[in-house]
């Protein structure tokens, strides 16, 4: 059992918003995450509730979604636990960690790195799907059989990839403006070459579109929801939702890909459509 340090707690829509820190055995460093527990979790602590894991994007942390998205009111209505980990290892001492890479410091990309020196700490896939999942379903009142995952940008990539790589963990998935084909965009090429080396076959294992193209049948018959703003400055060069759309069509995977005129890449966009995502997951969990 991990030792959770409660950093802060705030009353929120009848439940509580908490921020935790713990010594991560997977990462080898302290990690932070946030949890919203609805009133039902407080009234009957032994009761197991569905949990929704949110993976944030570049330059974000465990605080960003909980502060900006306005999701707690909706989670309270549906009796959902919300969980948001930090995006990346912090203060590793590795040269280059804080380099901007033109898109954000120390981006974790929700993968397990295989290349030194990154492989020592960059194990975000194992952290989210094993260690954090175990904490949330062991020490907090989340039902391990009713978990979903969603995210934004790099976190949208993480959600689409981890859901496909760990169908035993996640029953539902959605994304806001995901990096849908990272093996063919500058952000992904930079991160993958650094963390995974030059073997593009290894890259494909963390590319949502490539993974979906290799599916023998629809992994999420209840459907996947993706929202994309058409005023997103990263759309043409970095995100490639059309690649994921084509892969889903080939695999027979039901996909609702909504394109919204006038919306950009930020949290005004996310907060506008968050209710639809919460309802999407609540219906499947």
């Amino acid at each position: 059992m991990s030792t959770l340090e409660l950093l802060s707690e705030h009353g929120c829509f009848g439940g509580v918003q908490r921020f935790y820190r713990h010594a991560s055995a997977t990462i080898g460093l302290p990690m932070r995450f946030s949890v919203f527990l609805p009133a039902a979790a407080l009234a009957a602590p032994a009761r197991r509730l569905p949990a929704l894991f949110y993976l944030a994007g570049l330059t974000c942390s465990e605080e960003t979604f909980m502060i900006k998205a306005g999701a707690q009111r909706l989670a309270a209505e549906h009796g959902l636990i919300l969980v948001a980990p930090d995006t990346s290892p912090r203060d590793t001492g590795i040269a280059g960690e804080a380099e901007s890479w033109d898109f954000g410091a120390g981006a974790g990309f929700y993968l397990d790195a295989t290349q030194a020196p990154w492989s020592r700490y960059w194990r975000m896939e194992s952290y989210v799907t094993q260690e954090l999942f175990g904490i949330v379903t062991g020490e907090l009142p989340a039902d391990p059989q009713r978990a979903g995952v969603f995210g934004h940008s790099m976190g949208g990539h993480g959600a689409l990839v981890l859901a496909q790589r760990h169908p035993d963990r996640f029953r539902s998935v959605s994304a806001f403006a995901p990096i849908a084909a990272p093996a063919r965009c500058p952000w992904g090429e930079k991160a993958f070459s650094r963390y995974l080396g030059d073997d593009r076959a290894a890259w494909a294992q963390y590319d949502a579109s490539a993974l979906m193209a290799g599916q023998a049948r629809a992994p999420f018959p209840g459907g996947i929801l993706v929202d994309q703003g058409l005023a997103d400055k990263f759309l043409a060069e970095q995100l490639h939702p059309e690649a994921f759309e084509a892969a889903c069509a080939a695999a027979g995977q039901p996909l609702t890909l909504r394109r919204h005129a006038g919306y950009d890449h930020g949290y005004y966009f996310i907060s506008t459509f968050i209710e639809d995502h919460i309802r999407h997951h609540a219906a499947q969990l």
Side-chain angles (χ1 to χ4, degrees), residues 11 18 21 37-38 67 92 95-96 104 128 155 168 176 213 217 224 235 244 258 265:
R18 292 177 179 171
R21 178 170 55 202
L37 295 174
I67 293 172
T92 67
V128 171
D168 59 323
F176 295 94
R217 61 183 182 274
I224 296 172
L235 176 56
F244 188 68
R258 307 189 301 184
H265 198 69

Side-chain angles (χ1 to χ4, degrees), residues 169-246:
R169 286 286 190 250
F170 303 114
R171 283 175 46 180
S172 60
V173 58
S174 71
F176 295 94
I179 305 172
R184 63 179 84 172
C185 78
W187 283 345
E189 290 172 348
K190 184 85 171 186
F192 285 0
S193 61
R194 203 173 261 222
Y195 297 149
L196 302 174
D198 296 328
D199 182 6
R200 286 186 171 261
W203 294 15
Q205 297 305 305
Y206 289 103
D207 184 300
S209 298
L211 285 170
M212 186 60 72
Q215 297 284 0
R217 61 183 182 274
F220 293 93
I224 296 172
L225 173 62
V226 173
D227 278 306
Q228 176 62 58
L230 293 179
D232 190 325
K233 66 181 181 180
F234 303 118
L235 176 56
E237 185 179 21
Q238 303 285 11
L239 304 181
H240 300 298
E242 71 283 351
F244 188 68
E245 184 177 39

Side-chain angles (χ1 to χ4, degrees), residues 53-276:
F53 288 74
Y54 178 84
L55 307 181
L58 301 160
T59 76
C60 296
S61 73
E62 76 285 354
E63 294 183 320
T64 312
F65 174 75
M66 297 300 187
I67 293 172
K68 292 185 175 183
Q72 291 95 332
R73 174 181 62 83
L74 303 162
E77 291 177 4
H78 291 279
L80 290 170
I81 295 172
L82 295 177
V83 183
D86 197 357
T87 65
S88 318
R90 305 280 179 179
D91 301 321
T92 67
I94 293 176
E97 175 193 346
E99 181 184 334
S100 70
W101 310 352
D102 297 325
F103 58 81
F109 260 82
Y110 302 102
L111 53 74
D112 285 354
T114 59
Q115 303 299 301
W118 313 101
S119 55
R120 181 176 179 182
Y121 299 117
W122 268 254
R123 298 178 50 80
M124 289 302 297
E125 177 183 22
S126 291
Y127 175 71
V128 171
T129 63
Q130 303 297 327
E131 187 172 14
L132 182 60
F133 191 93
I135 291 171
V136 171
T137 60
E139 300 182 47
L140 297 172
D143 185 344
Q145 303 303 315
R146 292 188 293 161
V149 62
F150 68 149
H152 168 235
S153 192
M154 179 185 73
H157 141 76
L160 296 176
V161 166
L162 296 187
Q164 291 186 73
R165 287 174 59 85
H166 301 274
D168 59 323
R169 286 286 190 250
F170 303 114
R171 283 175 46 180
S172 60
V173 58
S174 71
F176 295 94
I179 305 172
R184 63 179 84 172
C185 78
W187 283 345
E189 290 172 348
K190 184 85 171 186
F192 285 0
S193 61
R194 203 173 261 222
Y195 297 149
L196 302 174
D198 296 328
D199 182 6
R200 286 186 171 261
W203 294 15
Q205 297 305 305
Y206 289 103
D207 184 300
S209 298
L211 285 170
M212 186 60 72
Q215 297 284 0
R217 61 183 182 274
F220 293 93
I224 296 172
L225 173 62
V226 173
D227 278 306
Q228 176 62 58
L230 293 179
D232 190 325
K233 66 181 181 180
F234 303 118
L235 176 56
E237 185 179 21
Q238 303 285 11
L239 304 181
H240 300 298
E242 71 283 351
F244 188 68
E245 184 177 39
C248 285
Q253 169 60 53
L255 170 69
T256 300
L257 172 55
R258 307 189 301 184
R259 295 172 169 91
H260 305 280
Y263 287 90
D264 61 20
H265 198 69
Y267 270 80
Y268 296 112
F269 160 62
I270 293 173
S271 64
T272 300
F273 299 106
I274 187 65
E275 182 170 3
D276 295 338

